[in-house]
Amino acid sequence: MISTLGLSLLAALALTSETPNASASDEAREIEAVAAQAAEAHAHLMRGDIAAYRRTIHIAADFILMDPFGGAPTGSPKSDAHWEQIGRFFQGGRDARFDLVASYRSDDMIVLVANESAHVAVGSLPAQDWTLRVTLVFRRDAGRWLLAHRHADPLARGISLKDAGQITLGSRAQKPGPEDGQ
């Protein structure tokens, strides 16, 4: 679900746009449609429904993922088996929300900045409330919007300077592996 504040922000941003090739209302509708698509995809993923996720979001061939667990950025999954593994990583998600914070648009790019949340079991962890800060970059290709980049982190509630320093040093960093359900 996209929040009311997010949609109001979308409308305000669209009204102040200076893109010469489209009217402000057309831009607002286009951003709203891409944000709704991202929100729907998020809800599917949190339920572990990877088939519905893949029908909802189209990934660019050169997609780059910076996942919430850190480490080196990765690309798009290369096989159906890898996609299925991703789907199994998320189980029983409910109450999925996509709260748009800001959006930016040019002729062939839309950037969405949002908080995604859900109550979901992730990997080997029991179900809990998760909130991620996300940045999604969509690129227009052959008339459709493709997800070209996704960055997510679990810092929506903030952390202390000390904790940030520990993470930066790598003393708390450990990528999830098969034992974590990934």
Side-chain angles (χ1 to χ4, degrees), residues 16-39:
T16 61
S17 174
E18 296 181 17
T19 304
N21 294 340
S23 74
S25 61
D26 289 343
E27 286 183 12
R29 280 192 295 275
E30 198 161 37
I31 291 169
E32 184 177 342
V34 171
Q37 179 185 13

Side-chain angles (χ1 to χ4, degrees), residues 14 23-24 39 42 58 62 78 86 100 112 116 122 133-134 168:
S23 74
H42 166 64
H58 302 284
D62 58 349
K78 303 296 184 226
I86 292 168
L100 191 63
L112 304 177
E116 292 178 339
V122 177
R133 300 182 318 167
V134 299
T168 299

Side-chain angles (χ1 to χ4, degrees), residues 167-181:
I167 291 169
T168 299
L169 291 172
S171 43
R172 289 182 28 178
Q174 185 176 39
K175 227 24 190 165
E179 67 278 2
D180 296 312

Side-chain angles (χ1 to χ4, degrees), residues 18-131:
E18 296 181 17
T19 304
N21 294 340
S23 74
S25 61
D26 289 343
E27 286 183 12
R29 280 192 295 275
E30 198 161 37
I31 291 169
E32 184 177 342
V34 171
Q37 179 185 13
E40 181 182 348
H42 166 64
H44 291 311
L45 185 61
M46 293 301 96
R47 288 191 300 272
D49 188 349
I50 202 67
Y53 175 85
R54 292 178 74 186
R55 283 191 305 271
T56 305
I57 281 280
H58 302 284
I59 306 293
D62 58 349
F63 172 75
I64 298 294
L65 172 65
M66 296 177 77
D67 72 46
F69 307 111
T74 60
S76 180
K78 303 296 184 226
S79 68
D80 288 341
H82 188 192
W83 277 109
E84 293 301 322
Q85 182 182 16
I86 292 168
R88 288 189 302 274
F89 194 63
F90 302 97
Q91 294 297 312
R94 60 180 169 78
D95 304 327
R97 289 182 48 100
F98 184 89
D99 296 316
L100 191 63
V101 174
S103 63
Y104 309 94
R105 186 187 179 286
S106 68
D107 287 344
D108 293 318
M109 187 176 297
I110 291 176
V111 178
L112 304 177
V113 179
N115 287 318
E116 292 178 339
S117 59
H119 187 86
V120 60
V122 177
S124 62
L125 297 176
Q128 66 183 42
D129 290 335
W130 283 82
T131 300

